[in-house]
Amino acid sequence: MSKIKVLVTGIIPEAGLTELKQNFDVTYDPEKETREWVLEHLSEYEGLLIMGMKGDRELIDAGTNLKIITANGVGFDHIDIEYAKQKGIVVANCPQGVRVPTAEMTFTLLLATVRHLHFYDKVVRSGQWIDVSEPQYMGMSLQGKTLGVYGMGRIGSEVAKFAQVFGMKVIYNDAHRLTPELEAKLDVKYVDFDTLVQTSDVITLHAPALPSTNGIFNAEVFKKMKDTAYIINAARGQLIKQTDLIAALKNGDIAGAGLDVYETEPDIPQALRDLDNVVLSPHAGTGTLESRTTIAREASQNLISYLRDKKPLNQVNK
């Protein structure tokens, strides 16, 4: 009896696909798997592990035998989940594997941003020296400051733990408030959105890109923030209106930003790249071998559980 066929796109650590290959006939060849190739051959497959490609209507229509699509990560805004549902296709994501590495990247950006590491590095590499006794060159200490977490899910909760080690107080805003018991356990306080914006010394973003969250951090919000405050985004670029952020950074409405994701990625405006008060990273939140291997295993489990055992895991289009 022939094995079920599964297609894997993008660059995935081979070690993360071991169990998938034990169960199915897996095609994985990132050299040849262009979008054109995928559209031409997708009808041969029942499962798709997708990375680095849009799961839009065109692709879904090409997958005439598809039963499940799994994202290789927590984000699924690149997949038309409602259209897939209409076609009877399960869409799943990988919420566990991204949790710690993305929190690590968030806090890496936070530290680099508030301590002006990009600017310091640029100065030293240019052969110059500065006196950091001068106020304009000083960074900000974290102890005693307030971290505002926008989206207190798995990643936001990890970031809160990191912040507390540095002596920060943590407040949060989320569409779904935590239980009093969990708030007490995490030592975090729920506040409304305006309070989060107005009182935080650093804001980190951990919400999905939805119609209700797209562009929620805009010119109006930046003007409400402290002019000494920083914003860190390793979630989704669409949460920040990019042109408004550039203006806020230039005008001094906020002190700085640390970004791993962008509204227009991979095209980053020159105006953003020219600024000294922003730290930029190429959507590398899960960019470690350990992380990518773990995520690939989680994506593989999504496929195995559904195609072999008819049990959907991490389904996002119920």
Side-chain angles (χ1 to χ4, degrees), residues 181-199:
E181 294 76 17
L182 188 51
E183 286 183 349
K185 180 180 179 181
L186 294 173
D187 193 18
V188 299
K189 179 184 177 182
Y190 176 84
V191 296
D192 61 41
F193 183 73
D194 279 347
T195 300
L196 182 94
V197 167
Q198 293 168 8
T199 62

Side-chain angles (χ1 to χ4, degrees), residues 57-209:
R57 290 188 174 218
E58 181 185 39
L59 184 137
I60 290 169
D61 282 339
T64 52
N65 288 304
L66 274 182
K67 293 180 174 59
I68 179 172
I69 300 170
T70 181
N72 194 62
V74 68
F76 50 86
D77 48 304
H78 58 302
I79 303 171
D80 192 331
I81 64 172
E82 291 304 322
Y83 190 63
K85 184 177 180 179
Q86 291 177 29
K87 295 287 185 175
I89 299 170
V90 167
V91 178
N93 70 341
C94 300
Q96 296 297 337
V98 305
R99 179 174 54 88
V100 172
T102 305
E104 288 176 346
M105 175 58 84
T106 299
F107 218 80
T108 299
L109 285 171
L110 190 159
L111 287 169
T113 303
V114 304
R115 295 305 300 266
H116 297 180
L117 285 190
H118 163 69
F119 174 66
Y120 292 165
D121 181 80
K122 179 181 175 181
V123 167
V124 175
R125 286 179 188 277
S126 71
Q128 302 178 63
W129 199 256
I130 56 174
D131 184 355
V132 295
S133 298
E134 296 184 35
Q136 69 266 33
Y137 298 140
M138 291 182 181
M140 183 181 77
S141 293
L142 297 181
Q143 189 169 26
K145 298 299 192 300
T146 296
L147 175 69
V149 176
Y150 180 66
M152 188 58 83
R154 296 178 180 89
I155 297 170
S157 298
E158 286 295 320
V159 170
K161 294 175 189 175
F162 293 163
Q164 287 157 350
V165 171
F166 282 79
M168 299 187 80
K169 181 179 82 170
V170 181
I171 60 176
Y172 81 97
N173 178 262
D174 196 299
H176 306 286
R177 184 173 178 176
L178 304 179
T179 64
E181 294 76 17
L182 188 51
E183 286 183 349
K185 180 180 179 181
L186 294 173
D187 193 18
V188 299
K189 179 184 177 182
Y190 176 84
V191 296
D192 61 41
F193 183 73
D194 279 347
T195 300
L196 182 94
V197 167
Q198 293 168 8
T199 62
S200 297
D201 296 297
V202 184
I203 297 175
T204 61
L205 311 187
H206 308 287

Side-chain angles (χ1 to χ4, degrees), residues 7 27 32-42 44-45:
L7 176 64
T27 300
K32 75 176 182 182
E33 289 163 5
T34 62
R35 182 174 175 87
E36 291 72 23
W37 187 95
V38 171
L39 291 174
E40 182 180 349
H41 294 89
L42 191 56
E44 303 169 22
Y45 299 90

Side-chain angles (χ1 to χ4, degrees), residues 201-275:
D201 296 297
V202 184
I203 297 175
T204 61
L205 311 187
H206 308 287
L210 302 168
S212 58
T213 62
N214 285 347
I216 191 166
F217 285 86
N218 51 38
E220 181 182 355
V221 169
F222 295 134
K223 289 186 183 300
K224 291 179 180 178
M225 289 173 63
K226 297 179 181 180
D227 59 11
T228 55
Y230 298 83
I231 189 165
I232 311 297
N233 189 10
R236 283 291 177 263
Q238 293 87 345
L239 300 178
I240 295 178
K241 190 167 177 54
Q242 195 163 263
T243 54
D244 290 358
L245 175 63
I246 293 170
L249 291 167
K250 284 182 175 179
N251 298 338
D253 293 333
I254 62 173
L259 306 173
D260 186 47
V261 292
Y262 310 86
E263 188 178 20
T264 57
E265 66 181 70
D267 300 315
I268 312 304
Q270 186 66 45
L272 189 59
R273 289 185 276 139
D274 286 342
L275 293 170

